[in-house]
Amino acid sequence: MKKTKELILALTNASNSPAEFLSLAHRHKAKNDSFDFTELLQVFTKKDLLKLWEAGSVTVRKSLEKIESVSSELSDKEAADLLELLDGILVMINCYLSLDSVHIVKELHQIIANLHDVLLALPDVDIQNRISLACEKWWNRSFDDKGFLVANTVTYLITRSVSDIATVSVVKRLYALKDALQVLDFEDPSSEPLKAILLQCFVTPTILKLDQGRRFLSSLFYLSSSYTVDIHEAIKGLLPHCPNQHLTWYGDIYFNAWKNAVPPYLEVIENKCLQDLMYSAVLAPRKGLRSLFHSLRCVLAGVHQHTYQQSVVAMLVKLYGPFLWRSLKVANADVRTNAATLLLELFPLQDHYQNKQDQEEALQRQFTIMKELLDDPSVSVRVAAVKGVCRVLSYYWELVPVNVIKSFLTKLVVELCRDASSDNVRVAVLQGMCVILDNPLCGPVMKELLPLLHHCIHDTSENVRIAFCELLLVVKGMKSIKFWKVCPMKDLMARMECDTAHVAKRIVALLIDSFQGTNVDLTQQVDRCIYLLQICPGAARRFYQLAQAHLSAANAARLILAINQFLIQVIEHGTDATVVASNEQQNGDGGMQNDDADSTVTINDTPIICGLLETMVILWEGYRHHFDKSSHKTIKSQLVSEFAISHIKFFHSFADESCQAAIFLLASHLPKRHVKLPMDVSGLPRERAIAMLIALVSWKQTEPLLKQISCCLDSSVKVGGAVAAVQAPPKRRGRKVKASVGSAKEGEADLAQAHTALCHLDWLMMHPVSYKVVMSSATFAVLQDSTQKSMNLIEQKCTGTMSDAAVSMDTTTLVHMFTLYVKMAMHRCLETSDINNFKGILEKTWHWCQQVLVPAINQSPSVVVMSTRRARKRTAGQLSSLPTEVLKVFLSLLSEMFLVGLADKAELCDLISRIIVGVADNSVAQEVWLHLCKLLYQLTDLCSQQEEGLMKATALQPLSPALMRVLSTLLATTDVTQYNQMFATLKPSLLVIIADSAKFASYFSTRLSHDQQLPILVLIEALVQSMAGQIKARPGYRLAVTMDELPRQPASLLGVLCGSILNTRLLLHHMIKTVEGVSDHTIIQLTSMMHIIPSLIKHRTTNIISSTKDLLVLIDDGLKQRCVDDPKSRDYLFDEAQQLLAEVREILYRSG
């Protein structure tokens, strides 16, 4: 009783002296204090409660008056004290409303009502939350006058739910108040702000992801009929851009809204919402990564997935009926595809409230439509029909009559699986077969039909082959059907050998259990490996390369050891005896039949032995990183110990080059101290030499190898005495002739050594392990100097004054050496980032090309006298190809700079631009064109990515002279075949260059000076000049209506320019500016423009009519002005021009 009076007194005096009440509130909140409002309020009598709430009402009213009336005059401390007082009262109220037995008086309602009125205006979030909790408890416990505590509470909860700090608990509280929204009048204009906030709930993930949140959103459909339509329009506007998960949630919202709806909202939801979605889905476009049809279909799936309910099916029949069936017959293929997809997804679409006869007729109608859809002329419709029919057969196999199943499967397997018009149809059939196989009842029927699909393994489309392999993987999991009965093993082997990785991986997954399964012992695994090598060695290599995804490191090591032991047995048996492998080739286990393969292996069976060694190499190399782990330390030590003994036996017993290379590759995985093989790289065949290089690199012997390569190159490029080109060597007799022959042989030996050294150096720079060693080696600079000497030897050959070293070097070796020189400089720049040094090397090299190569290319071939008898037999044609080959290599290396990122540097980009212009100005031999065009494309593309604004157009300007030079040479070509070949080489680069420069010319044409000609403008000028030349050469040339009727050269150039509407507009704009800017145009120039216009009209009818009319007016004025200025110019050319102008205007009139 004392505490009761104390609380009432403290609350009574709280408006003037809140310290006592706040002390009680703090004690309630403290965890270590036993004082609790809940326990105290339980012992209050009704009289005490009345006094308490009267005191509280007065305190709250006075506090709110102070806050509202003089809030600007309150100090921060006074305002904080008032808010703290209100917070304490709210804590006490919420504790009281949480009691099981509550006595409600009007004073308590008045307190909560006063606080509810200022809920949204208070600045303290905690106080707002406590007010909202009190109002929610009042509503949920259905106390009197609860409707007066709803408006601000709901607004507060909705605002918090759509904010960034929304929590799950707030959404659940909002759901608990969903019925409170019915109290509000949503037809009143004052509710518009609340409606706008409610619409935001439909895009809030926190609300959408909760089931209570989606149910709350569904309840919003019943607030007002007009608002229901507003909600639907808002959701419909979000569908094209919202995530896929949101689409599924919207489907749940629509279904829950329909399921719980009552008239008149039921009719609104069905007719204005669901039917609108259905109709929009039928008419929706299908193009794009995620089409609008896809979005609408995901939303409708929330309704379609409940077709097991009879009421849902009846609703779907009623809503789809007015438009779905007729949409299957329209001319638009997309609409037919959409309608077919929806119909087959809803199968069987029949109202269960109808009589049985009507249901049977509806079912038969759908079967008839399915057959028609499978024969539809549109590919997309057939694809949708195939997928839908297969889904129907999988889900409703028992419902569909046997004759219908047979007709459908026959159509799919016999006809559509061979549809030559589109691989998408064939893929859909194979994927549909996988869906049908999910039904276990289809086994007997599919067992007979699936073998008819075996031809798909050799289909020209990779997607079809992948789909067929996926089908075989599904069949593999079935007991009633064997995959090797569907597709023979020989076909699988053939595809695994030559097909892409996507197909080969699936074939390996299909066969792995047959060759390396857990139920196959090591003897059988080796035997089956031999079988695989006998029937298809290439497939065997591919199989073990891709088997790493299915084979553990331990099993791979055991197989390596088993093959190693088997090869030792082959050696021990000698050449006369044979080793008989296990003959357990079970047709039931993987479908292997060894009828054609010999089950014995001798030491003379080189292909099999080589294949086994290569299998060991493939497995060891593939699992090398696994073997290096500490967990497999025992396995690796066992492999090393076994092969350390056997590799010597293999080396002396298997003399074949491929076997020897495989042995060296295996030895590369051993420590060097265990290897007892000869290590001389010189003179070895290429395959074995590369294998030995790999071994040396793995043993960290790269540096000695580089020194050996350096010595070989130095000895081969030693410069001897020069011999004049015009002097023939004197005749020698006797021993001197023999000495000359001996020196020639020595020169050939040096040449061979140089060629081998260059190949080894090239390989070392490509190998990822040895590359770092090469770049950091002290010998690198020496090697770079040695390869640079190739430029001196090439110059001697081009000028005809050669030393002995130049004579002994052939074209291939010199080109290879020059290539390595530039490559080494490029890689050094990448490693050191020394751009200036690399730029200097490129400038010197380009200057050398201008001084040596270009004159040699342009001069006529002549016979050059050599200093040896063998060299004199070489023809002038062989020598003349050297400068061209070197220039081609130089340009290709410049192109590679774009791939490695060196061309991104501004200095190098400018240098490459100057080189392009220089090559185009000096020599445009056909052999150089491909590299020149590639550089043009890469440089233009780089400029378009890096520069912005007018700088981009300026960066492209230096390329215009090069492009003009190339085009002028191209247009001067008279040979049709040669022209077609050259233009085909140039066209891809032109398309990209023109596309980039057209954008810049369009955006910045007003800021470009007259001299800044972009490639697009150069090409337009070339087109007009080419057409004028054709007219001048062929007087009386009739007007070409289409592009195909134009002469060859103008037609090809116009084809490039008409690639986009932007190019076409620029062409017309340029011709207009040309006619306006120059007054002394010849009649031939004006006529050439008129010959171009009809092709533009036919190709781009729309968007150019206005510009074309302006151009024709200017041409007409130009012809008239020409006649006035020079009356003598009115000749037959003028009359022809006037006639052409009339014909062009007639074509324009008919088109526009």
Side-chain angles (χ1 to χ4, degrees), residues 743-755:
S743 356
K745 291 182 178 180
E746 291 176 2
E748 292 177 3
D750 291 339
L751 177 62
Q753 288 184 357
H755 178 72

Side-chain angles (χ1 to χ4, degrees), residues 170-217:
V170 175
V171 177
K172 291 181 178 180
R173 288 163 55 187
L174 179 62
Y175 171 72
L177 283 183
K178 67 180 187 301
D179 295 334
L181 292 171
Q182 303 295 334
V183 179
L184 306 177
D185 183 9
F186 280 85
E187 298 294 340
D188 191 272
S190 61
S191 64
E192 292 300 324
L194 181 58
K195 288 182 180 180
I197 299 176
L198 286 172
L199 289 180
Q200 294 181 28
C201 296
F202 288 91
V203 295
T204 306
T206 308
I207 300 177
L208 288 172
K209 69 181 181 181
L210 287 177
D211 182 64
Q212 294 94 328
R214 295 193 293 274
R215 292 181 182 276
F216 170 75
L217 296 178

Side-chain angles (χ1 to χ4, degrees), residues 247-264:
L247 298 175
T248 305
W249 291 335
Y250 289 141
D252 293 341
I253 292 170
Y254 275 109
F255 178 74
N256 291 328
W258 172 83
K259 183 176 66 174
N260 301 318
V262 294

Side-chain angles (χ1 to χ4, degrees), residues 645-780:
I645 300 172
S646 60
H647 78 281
I648 294 296
K649 297 180 181 179
F650 294 166
F651 181 76
H652 293 296
S653 301
F654 308 135
D656 183 75
E657 179 183 341
S658 299
C659 294
Q660 296 273 306
I663 293 169
F664 275 102
L665 290 175
L666 285 170
S668 67
H669 296 286
L670 301 177
K672 189 175 184 302
R673 65 180 183 274
H674 293 295
V675 179
K676 301 176 182 179
L677 301 176
M679 293 301 164
D680 187 9
V681 185
S682 60
L684 291 179
R686 184 177 183 276
E687 186 176 359
R688 198 192 310 179
I690 291 178
M692 189 175 293
L693 287 175
I694 294 174
L696 291 173
V697 170
S698 65
W699 297 329
K700 297 181 173 49
Q701 299 295 310
T702 308
E703 185 66 30
L705 186 59
L706 289 175
K707 293 180 180 179
Q708 184 180 355
I709 292 173
S710 177
C711 293
C712 291
L713 293 180
D714 287 340
S715 63
S716 62
V717 297
K718 286 181 180 178
V719 181
V723 180
V726 295
Q727 293 179 347
K731 294 182 179 181
R732 301 178 184 269
R733 296 181 181 179
R735 289 180 299 175
K736 293 184 180 181
V737 173
K738 293 180 181 180
S740 177
V741 173
S743 356
K745 291 182 178 180
E746 291 176 2
E748 292 177 3
D750 291 339
L751 177 62
Q753 288 184 357
H755 178 72
T756 304
L758 291 172
C759 292
H760 292 172
L761 179 59
D762 200 0
W763 183 90
L764 289 173
M765 291 189 64
M766 290 188 297
H767 195 277
V769 177
S770 61
Y771 172 77
K772 296 181 180 179
V773 180
V774 172
M775 298 307 299
S776 60
S777 172
T779 317
F780 184 84

